[in-house]
Amino acid sequence: QVQLVESGGGLVQAGGSLELSCVASGSIFNINDMGWYRQAPGKQRELVTTITRGGLTNYADSVKGRFTISRDNAKNTVYLQMNRLKPEDTAVYYCSADILPRTLVRRNYWGQGTPVTVSS
């Protein structure tokens, strides 16, 4: 059973910082791309950032220069450092990972989400 568990969300004032973490656990053979998505109230889920196993990154224009994604392959963990947060960053943040479990059926997995609220 593969699971993704996020942590690190919370309430922060505009201009502040938060770091999210997401750990993949279970019977995992390897992990390819990992990423973060977010869903604000009343809006569709949107891509925030992704990172390949080799460390290549991609960011939504709205977070470029403020957010940084990183990963520790040995720990099956992906991080999201969020700086200079804005009220419009308020959303539930979801971790996503392209995982090949030991059953050898690769698919995308999602975490349960962690809320981030930025007050003005």
Side-chain angles (χ1 to χ4, degrees), residues 16-29:
S17 299
L18 279 177
E19 185 178 46
L20 307 183
S21 300
C22 172
V23 180
S25 63
S27 186
I28 296 171
F29 189 73

Side-chain angles (χ1 to χ4, degrees), residues 16-109:
S17 299
L18 279 177
E19 185 178 46
L20 307 183
S21 300
C22 172
V23 180
S25 63
S27 186
I28 296 171
F29 189 73
N30 67 36
I31 303 176
N32 282 347
D33 292 1
M34 303 184 83
W36 292 94
Y37 291 71
R38 66 187 181 187
Q39 187 166 17
K43 295 187 177 181
Q44 290 189 327
R45 190 173 298 189
E46 63 176 3
L47 169 71
V48 177
T49 178
T50 60
I51 185 168
T52 67
R53 183 171 180 82
L56 296 177
T57 59
N58 176 55
Y59 293 93
D61 288 343
S62 59
V63 306
K64 281 181 182 176
R66 300 188 298 122
F67 290 11
T68 303
I69 188 171
S70 60
R71 65 189 283 176
D72 185 332
N73 292 330
K75 295 181 180 179
N76 289 341
T77 300
V78 63
Y79 305 94
L80 180 63
Q81 177 65 44
M82 305 185 292
N83 297 327
R84 305 202 310 275
L85 282 159
K86 303 176 181 180
E88 50 263 45
D89 295 318
T90 295
V92 177
Y93 283 70
Y94 296 90
C95 173
S96 172
D98 178 27
I99 296 174
L100 179 66
R102 296 195 182 276
T103 58
L104 299 182
V105 179
R106 181 179 295 280
R107 72 172 182 90
N108 200 60
Y109 289 81

